[in-house]
Amino acid sequence: MDSYDVGGGNGPGPEGSPERVAERLAEPLAEADRTPGPGAPQPGIAGLSTPYQVVAAVALAVVGVFACVHLAMVFLHVAPSNTLTKQHGEAVDDWVYPEFEQNWKLFAPNPLQQNMSVQVRAEVVGAGGKRTTTGWTDLTAYDIDGVRGTLLPSHTRQNELRRAWDFYLNSHTDDHRPNGMRGELSEQYVRRIVMQRLDERALGGTVDRIQLRTVTRPVPAAAWSTEKIDTRPVDRSYPWWSVTAADRPGTEATR
């Protein structure tokens, strides 16, 4: 009753002994056992037919080239001025803006610690030439309401007014004087954006002039912080601007 019938051996001989069985189980598989047969599926792209292999290879090449170009463009965008950016700066900006813009205001040395809203009021010419001045309209709050709760918010609604106002501030002196042509262009750009917003409202007449102001509200300190921050809003008003025909929505399309 002590015989064994494992591995083709009978009895306690060398082939059928427990020691020999353990040795055979521990032996690596033969090369022929590890190699898939002719009809077995191949792993990865090698398992596809030749046309699909070509399509997959082309797709991977396109993705790789796009990734390399994108990384190079973003690097040139954030890198200091150099020969390439001087020669091809316009192409770099066209690639980056507006979808891939890199905004460093979130990081050091001075993270944003205040909320700024842009507001406008208008001088309206009504029936009989009567002039009235509207109350202040918060354009920033209007844009925020347009994106809050939206699954795919408009990039234009999020950034158009903010970027235009940054453009205006960076191209004007503290006494509201434009720094050359860029300053004049920034005024035109802001006026046209504002008029697009006002065109959606019934003001009871034709807008003849507009005035902008900013309301800056410092962000309160965190509950756990001992920092004392004055959260009272600060208003700053800007000069009145006369509205030209080119500032009104649809004017350019009819020319």
Side-chain angles (χ1 to χ4, degrees), residues 153-164:
S154 166
H155 189 86
T156 301
R157 180 58 63 89
Q158 293 180 79
N159 297 306
E160 182 182 50
L161 178 63
R162 177 182 61 83
R163 290 300 309 276

Side-chain angles (χ1 to χ4, degrees), residues 59-157:
L60 290 175
V62 171
V63 172
V65 170
F66 176 82
C68 292
V69 172
H70 177 68
L71 291 176
M73 288 295 190
V74 173
F75 172 79
L76 292 174
H77 175 67
V78 300
S81 179
N82 54 69
T83 303
L84 284 176
T85 55
K86 290 178 180 178
Q87 294 180 351
H88 307 288
E90 185 176 352
V92 173
D93 290 342
D94 290 342
W95 180 278
V96 171
Y97 292 112
E99 288 81 5
F100 307 120
E101 175 189 359
Q102 303 297 306
N103 190 333
W104 300 107
K105 292 184 178 181
L106 179 62
F107 305 101
N110 295 313
L112 290 176
Q113 297 181 346
Q114 59 190 19
N115 292 319
M116 178 184 290
S117 61
V118 180
Q119 302 180 357
V120 62
R121 64 177 177 178
E123 185 177 274
V124 180
V125 179
K130 181 180 179 181
R131 293 179 175 268
T132 58
T133 301
T134 67
W136 291 102
T137 300
D138 194 332
L139 302 178
T140 300
Y142 174 71
D143 285 352
I144 292 175
D145 290 341
V147 301
R148 179 177 287 122
T150 303
L151 182 61
L152 297 174
S154 166
H155 189 86
T156 301
R157 180 58 63 89

Side-chain angles (χ1 to χ4, degrees), residues 160 191-200 247 249:
E160 182 182 50
R191 283 202 305 270
R192 294 180 185 187
I193 292 175
V194 171
M195 289 303 298
Q196 286 180 345
R197 304 289 200 274
L198 294 180
D199 188 59
E200 301 173 2
D247 299 329

